[in-house]
Amino acid sequence: MANWSNTDKGMLIVISGPSGVGKGTLCKILLNRVENLFLSISATTRPPRPGEIDGRDYIFLSRELFEEKIKKGEFLEWAKVYNNYYGTPKDIVFQQLRDGKDVVLEIDTQGAAQVKNNYPEGIFIFISPPSIKELKKRIIKRGSDTESSIELRMKSAIDEIKAASEYDYIVLNDDLNQAALNLQSIVLAERCKVSRNTKIVLKLREEFGNDASVN
Ligand code: ADP
Ligand code: 5GP
């Protein structure tokens, strides 16, 4: 890939939307297809699900430790989602951005709103379900929620959908391949912005200057 991350600072890509819409599935495909993208590992107080590994899927913390970190201002954003805390560790993300890496956050809509306040230059992408019926079907299919937890997620989804207009992009996750292609296209198009490629522009100016003769 010719021109990724030519400016010194990386892009912060925020991917959000209701639980069960396919954020995790789409992020996995995105990270496999696009080079030099880094997924931020969130901290959470929820217990690990079977197969989840501390430090790979989440940083699993006790409630006390999480609250201590909130007090110390260690999160770029944090939210209480379905009775558990979730948060994005600030220092690691900012370090990666300073190193010119593009960082993906896969977070809920409350967290995305906080990032927008604290870091408006981020790229905000909302993943939308094709219908409320299909969203419920996907949450059930995932198989990790009790009946009451499914109801809670569906109730929250109504408010989360209302936040869609605050985002820069919307990706309808109906056909998975099309949604993955749209998401990938957004990231690649953002990388091609002139404002993110000032080094190329300056080099071109230097090389071409006012003299267009080529020998
Ligand atoms: P989220 O991370 O938003 O909570 P997941 O990625 O866990 O959602 O997806 C929830 C369920 O929906 C999973 O079983 C996943 O395989 C399924 N899924 C994701 N995208 C699609 C799609 N486009 N069509 C059908 N099922 C999907
Ligand atoms: P799960 O428990 O299913 O892994 O995640 C539940 C919800 O929490 C999902 O909507 C997920 O996107 C969100 N989430 C995961 N990490 C973070 C985070 O760091 N911050 C916020 N605000 N939400 C998160």
Side-chain angles (χ1 to χ4, degrees), residues 18-25 106 134 138 141-142 173-176:
S19 176
V21 73
K23 300 184 294 294
T25 308
E106 189 226 302
E134 173 64 19
R138 286 184 195 170
K141 182 176 130 197
R142 191 172 51 185
N173 186 18
D174 190 355
D175 175 70
L176 183 63

PDB file of all heavy atoms in Angstrom, residues 18-25 106 134 138 141-142 173-176, ligand 1:
ATOM      1  N   PRO A  18     -25.282  -0.581  18.175  1.00  0.00           N
ATOM      2  CA  PRO A  18     -25.867  -1.420  19.230  1.00  0.00           C
ATOM      3  C   PRO A  18     -25.208  -2.786  19.365  1.00  0.00           C
ATOM      4  O   PRO A  18     -24.601  -3.286  18.411  1.00  0.00           O
ATOM      5  CB  PRO A  18     -27.338  -1.574  18.792  1.00  0.00           C
ATOM      6  CG  PRO A  18     -27.392  -1.174  17.384  1.00  0.00           C
ATOM      7  CD  PRO A  18     -26.235  -0.274  17.113  1.00  0.00           C
ATOM      8  N   SER A  19     -25.357  -3.352  20.539  1.00  0.00           N
ATOM      9  CA  SER A  19     -24.818  -4.690  20.815  1.00  0.00           C
ATOM     10  C   SER A  19     -25.478  -5.696  19.871  1.00  0.00           C
ATOM     11  O   SER A  19     -26.688  -5.658  19.653  1.00  0.00           O
ATOM     12  CB  SER A  19     -25.124  -5.041  22.268  1.00  0.00           C
ATOM     13  OG  SER A  19     -24.713  -6.348  22.532  1.00  0.00           O
ATOM     14  N   GLY A  20     -24.687  -6.568  19.278  1.00  0.00           N
ATOM     15  CA  GLY A  20     -25.214  -7.621  18.409  1.00  0.00           C
ATOM     16  C   GLY A  20     -25.332  -7.223  16.954  1.00  0.00           C
ATOM     17  O   GLY A  20     -25.690  -8.042  16.110  1.00  0.00           O
ATOM     18  N   VAL A  21     -24.996  -5.968  16.625  1.00  0.00           N
ATOM     19  CA  VAL A  21     -25.156  -5.499  15.239  1.00  0.00           C
ATOM     20  C   VAL A  21     -24.086  -6.090  14.300  1.00  0.00           C
ATOM     21  O   VAL A  21     -24.256  -6.137  13.093  1.00  0.00           O
ATOM     22  CB  VAL A  21     -25.157  -3.946  15.197  1.00  0.00           C
ATOM     23  CG1 VAL A  21     -23.778  -3.364  15.427  1.00  0.00           C
ATOM     24  CG2 VAL A  21     -25.709  -3.446  13.879  1.00  0.00           C
ATOM     25  N   GLY A  22     -22.959  -6.512  14.914  1.00  0.00           N
ATOM     26  CA  GLY A  22     -21.880  -7.081  14.099  1.00  0.00           C
ATOM     27  C   GLY A  22     -20.584  -6.285  14.152  1.00  0.00           C
ATOM     28  O   GLY A  22     -19.702  -6.478  13.308  1.00  0.00           O
ATOM     29  N   LYS A  23     -20.421  -5.446  15.165  1.00  0.00           N
ATOM     30  CA  LYS A  23     -19.204  -4.622  15.288  1.00  0.00           C
ATOM     31  C   LYS A  23     -17.956  -5.497  15.369  1.00  0.00           C
ATOM     32  O   LYS A  23     -16.973  -5.277  14.669  1.00  0.00           O
ATOM     33  CB  LYS A  23     -19.252  -3.720  16.534  1.00  0.00           C
ATOM     34  CG  LYS A  23     -20.397  -2.755  16.569  1.00  0.00           C
ATOM     35  CD  LYS A  23     -20.318  -1.847  17.775  1.00  0.00           C
ATOM     36  CE  LYS A  23     -20.485  -2.542  19.099  1.00  0.00           C
ATOM     37  NZ  LYS A  23     -21.830  -3.123  19.332  1.00  0.00           N
ATOM     38  N   GLY A  24     -18.027  -6.483  16.270  1.00  0.00           N
ATOM     39  CA  GLY A  24     -16.862  -7.359  16.476  1.00  0.00           C
ATOM     40  C   GLY A  24     -16.522  -8.122  15.209  1.00  0.00           C
ATOM     41  O   GLY A  24     -15.353  -8.199  14.811  1.00  0.00           O
ATOM     42  N   THR A  25     -17.551  -8.648  14.557  1.00  0.00           N
ATOM     43  CA  THR A  25     -17.363  -9.419  13.318  1.00  0.00           C
ATOM     44  C   THR A  25     -16.727  -8.531  12.246  1.00  0.00           C
ATOM     45  O   THR A  25     -15.748  -8.923  11.591  1.00  0.00           O
ATOM     46  CB  THR A  25     -18.743  -9.935  12.818  1.00  0.00           C
ATOM     47  OG1 THR A  25     -19.386 -10.610  13.894  1.00  0.00           O
ATOM     48  CG2 THR A  25     -18.598 -10.850  11.632  1.00  0.00           C
ATOM     49  N   GLU A 106     -13.546  -0.174  19.265  1.00  0.00           N
ATOM     50  CA  GLU A 106     -14.868  -0.788  19.073  1.00  0.00           C
ATOM     51  C   GLU A 106     -15.595  -0.620  20.387  1.00  0.00           C
ATOM     52  O   GLU A 106     -15.347  -1.360  21.346  1.00  0.00           O
ATOM     53  CB  GLU A 106     -14.672  -2.263  18.709  1.00  0.00           C
ATOM     54  CG  GLU A 106     -15.958  -2.934  18.271  1.00  0.00           C
ATOM     55  CD  GLU A 106     -16.151  -4.283  18.927  1.00  0.00           C
ATOM     56  OE1 GLU A 106     -15.292  -5.152  18.768  1.00  0.00           O
ATOM     57  OE2 GLU A 106     -17.177  -4.439  19.622  1.00  0.00           O
ATOM     58  N   GLU A 134     -33.972  -8.304  13.005  1.00  0.00           N
ATOM     59  CA  GLU A 134     -32.696  -8.967  12.666  1.00  0.00           C
ATOM     60  C   GLU A 134     -31.681  -8.761  13.802  1.00  0.00           C
ATOM     61  O   GLU A 134     -30.899  -9.668  14.110  1.00  0.00           O
ATOM     62  CB  GLU A 134     -32.173  -8.422  11.331  1.00  0.00           C
ATOM     63  CG  GLU A 134     -30.788  -8.893  10.923  1.00  0.00           C
ATOM     64  CD  GLU A 134     -30.659 -10.399  10.673  1.00  0.00           C
ATOM     65  OE1 GLU A 134     -31.679 -11.058  10.456  1.00  0.00           O
ATOM     66  OE2 GLU A 134     -29.502 -10.896  10.726  1.00  0.00           O
ATOM     67  N   ARG A 138     -29.727 -11.720  15.837  1.00  0.00           N
ATOM     68  CA  ARG A 138     -28.256 -11.836  15.950  1.00  0.00           C
ATOM     69  C   ARG A 138     -27.811 -11.964  17.401  1.00  0.00           C
ATOM     70  O   ARG A 138     -26.881 -12.714  17.700  1.00  0.00           O
ATOM     71  CB  ARG A 138     -27.583 -10.624  15.288  1.00  0.00           C
ATOM     72  CG  ARG A 138     -27.657 -10.704  13.799  1.00  0.00           C
ATOM     73  CD  ARG A 138     -26.917  -9.580  13.125  1.00  0.00           C
ATOM     74  NE  ARG A 138     -27.313  -9.510  11.738  1.00  0.00           N
ATOM     75  CZ  ARG A 138     -27.005  -8.526  10.908  1.00  0.00           C
ATOM     76  NH1 ARG A 138     -26.277  -7.504  11.346  1.00  0.00           N
ATOM     77  NH2 ARG A 138     -27.410  -8.551   9.660  1.00  0.00           N
ATOM     78  N   LYS A 141     -28.559 -15.431  18.332  1.00  0.00           N
ATOM     79  CA  LYS A 141     -27.648 -16.348  17.619  1.00  0.00           C
ATOM     80  C   LYS A 141     -26.259 -16.392  18.275  1.00  0.00           C
ATOM     81  O   LYS A 141     -25.624 -17.438  18.342  1.00  0.00           O
ATOM     82  CB  LYS A 141     -27.541 -15.875  16.161  1.00  0.00           C
ATOM     83  CG  LYS A 141     -26.666 -16.747  15.264  1.00  0.00           C
ATOM     84  CD  LYS A 141     -26.707 -16.235  13.829  1.00  0.00           C
ATOM     85  CE  LYS A 141     -25.320 -16.073  13.254  1.00  0.00           C
ATOM     86  NZ  LYS A 141     -25.285 -15.237  12.069  1.00  0.00           N
ATOM     87  N   ARG A 142     -25.822 -15.226  18.773  1.00  0.00           N
ATOM     88  CA  ARG A 142     -24.501 -15.160  19.411  1.00  0.00           C
ATOM     89  C   ARG A 142     -24.429 -16.083  20.627  1.00  0.00           C
ATOM     90  O   ARG A 142     -23.387 -16.609  20.978  1.00  0.00           O
ATOM     91  CB  ARG A 142     -24.191 -13.710  19.799  1.00  0.00           C
ATOM     92  CG  ARG A 142     -22.760 -13.499  20.222  1.00  0.00           C
ATOM     93  CD  ARG A 142     -22.445 -12.050  20.396  1.00  0.00           C
ATOM     94  NE  ARG A 142     -23.422 -11.385  21.263  1.00  0.00           N
ATOM     95  CZ  ARG A 142     -23.438 -10.092  21.502  1.00  0.00           C
ATOM     96  NH1 ARG A 142     -22.551  -9.323  20.931  1.00  0.00           N
ATOM     97  NH2 ARG A 142     -24.335  -9.546  22.300  1.00  0.00           N
ATOM     98  N   ASN A 173     -25.175  -2.999   8.172  1.00  0.00           N
ATOM     99  CA  ASN A 173     -24.689  -4.381   8.185  1.00  0.00           C
ATOM    100  C   ASN A 173     -25.837  -5.342   7.897  1.00  0.00           C
ATOM    101  O   ASN A 173     -26.380  -5.974   8.807  1.00  0.00           O
ATOM    102  CB  ASN A 173     -24.013  -4.716   9.516  1.00  0.00           C
ATOM    103  CG  ASN A 173     -23.381  -6.108   9.487  1.00  0.00           C
ATOM    104  OD1 ASN A 173     -23.149  -6.667   8.416  1.00  0.00           O
ATOM    105  ND2 ASN A 173     -23.120  -6.656  10.650  1.00  0.00           N
ATOM    106  N   ASP A 174     -26.167  -5.405   6.593  1.00  0.00           N
ATOM    107  CA  ASP A 174     -27.173  -6.374   6.147  1.00  0.00           C
ATOM    108  C   ASP A 174     -26.405  -7.543   5.552  1.00  0.00           C
ATOM    109  O   ASP A 174     -26.158  -8.546   6.215  1.00  0.00           O
ATOM    110  CB  ASP A 174     -28.106  -5.692   5.131  1.00  0.00           C
ATOM    111  CG  ASP A 174     -29.306  -6.554   4.802  1.00  0.00           C
ATOM    112  OD1 ASP A 174     -29.363  -7.698   5.275  1.00  0.00           O
ATOM    113  OD2 ASP A 174     -30.192  -6.089   4.063  1.00  0.00           O
ATOM    114  N   ASP A 175     -25.904  -7.357   4.335  1.00  0.00           N
ATOM    115  CA  ASP A 175     -25.007  -8.361   3.764  1.00  0.00           C
ATOM    116  C   ASP A 175     -23.611  -8.114   4.339  1.00  0.00           C
ATOM    117  O   ASP A 175     -23.065  -7.013   4.198  1.00  0.00           O
ATOM    118  CB  ASP A 175     -25.005  -8.226   2.234  1.00  0.00           C
ATOM    119  CG  ASP A 175     -24.002  -9.172   1.608  1.00  0.00           C
ATOM    120  OD1 ASP A 175     -24.247 -10.370   1.638  1.00  0.00           O
ATOM    121  OD2 ASP A 175     -22.940  -8.685   1.157  1.00  0.00           O
ATOM    122  N   LEU A 176     -23.051  -9.124   4.995  1.00  0.00           N
ATOM    123  CA  LEU A 176     -21.775  -8.945   5.704  1.00  0.00           C
ATOM    124  C   LEU A 176     -20.640  -8.530   4.767  1.00  0.00           C
ATOM    125  O   LEU A 176     -19.852  -7.636   5.103  1.00  0.00           O
ATOM    126  CB  LEU A 176     -21.418 -10.234   6.454  1.00  0.00           C
ATOM    127  CG  LEU A 176     -20.155 -10.185   7.313  1.00  0.00           C
ATOM    128  CD1 LEU A 176     -20.277  -9.169   8.442  1.00  0.00           C
ATOM    129  CD2 LEU A 176     -19.839 -11.555   7.902  1.00  0.00           C
TER     130      LEU A 176
HETATM  131  P1  ADP B   1     -21.367  -6.906  18.284  1.00  0.00           P
HETATM  132  O1  ADP B   1     -19.857  -6.979  18.367  1.00  0.00           O
HETATM  133  O2  ADP B   1     -21.858  -5.671  17.619  1.00  0.00           O
HETATM  134  O3  ADP B   1     -22.021  -7.130  19.607  1.00  0.00           O
HETATM  135  P2  ADP B   1     -21.099  -9.470  16.881  1.00  0.00           P
HETATM  136  O4  ADP B   1     -20.003  -9.184  15.924  1.00  0.00           O
HETATM  137  O5  ADP B   1     -20.790 -10.281  18.093  1.00  0.00           O
HETATM  138  O6  ADP B   1     -21.843  -8.115  17.329  1.00  0.00           O
HETATM  139  O7  ADP B   1     -22.261 -10.180  16.033  1.00  0.00           O
HETATM  140  C1  ADP B   1     -23.451 -10.692  16.638  1.00  0.00           C
HETATM  141  C2  ADP B   1     -23.916 -11.935  15.864  1.00  0.00           C
HETATM  142  O8  ADP B   1     -24.390 -11.547  14.567  1.00  0.00           O
HETATM  143  C3  ADP B   1     -22.799 -12.969  15.621  1.00  0.00           C
HETATM  144  O9  ADP B   1     -23.336 -14.258  15.767  1.00  0.00           O
HETATM  145  C4  ADP B   1     -22.373 -12.712  14.168  1.00  0.00           C
HETATM  146  O10 ADP B   1     -21.882 -13.875  13.558  1.00  0.00           O
HETATM  147  C5  ADP B   1     -23.708 -12.261  13.536  1.00  0.00           C
HETATM  148  N1  ADP B   1     -23.557 -11.349  12.386  1.00  0.00           N
HETATM  149  C6  ADP B   1     -22.721 -10.279  12.263  1.00  0.00           C
HETATM  150  N2  ADP B   1     -22.908  -9.668  11.080  1.00  0.00           N
HETATM  151  C7  ADP B   1     -23.880 -10.348  10.430  1.00  0.00           C
HETATM  152  C8  ADP B   1     -24.534 -10.201   9.147  1.00  0.00           C
HETATM  153  N3  ADP B   1     -24.226  -9.227   8.300  1.00  0.00           N
HETATM  154  N4  ADP B   1     -25.493 -11.086   8.834  1.00  0.00           N
HETATM  155  C9  ADP B   1     -25.851 -12.078   9.695  1.00  0.00           C
HETATM  156  N5  ADP B   1     -25.289 -12.293  10.901  1.00  0.00           N
HETATM  157  C10 ADP B   1     -24.310 -11.428  11.279  1.00  0.00           C
END
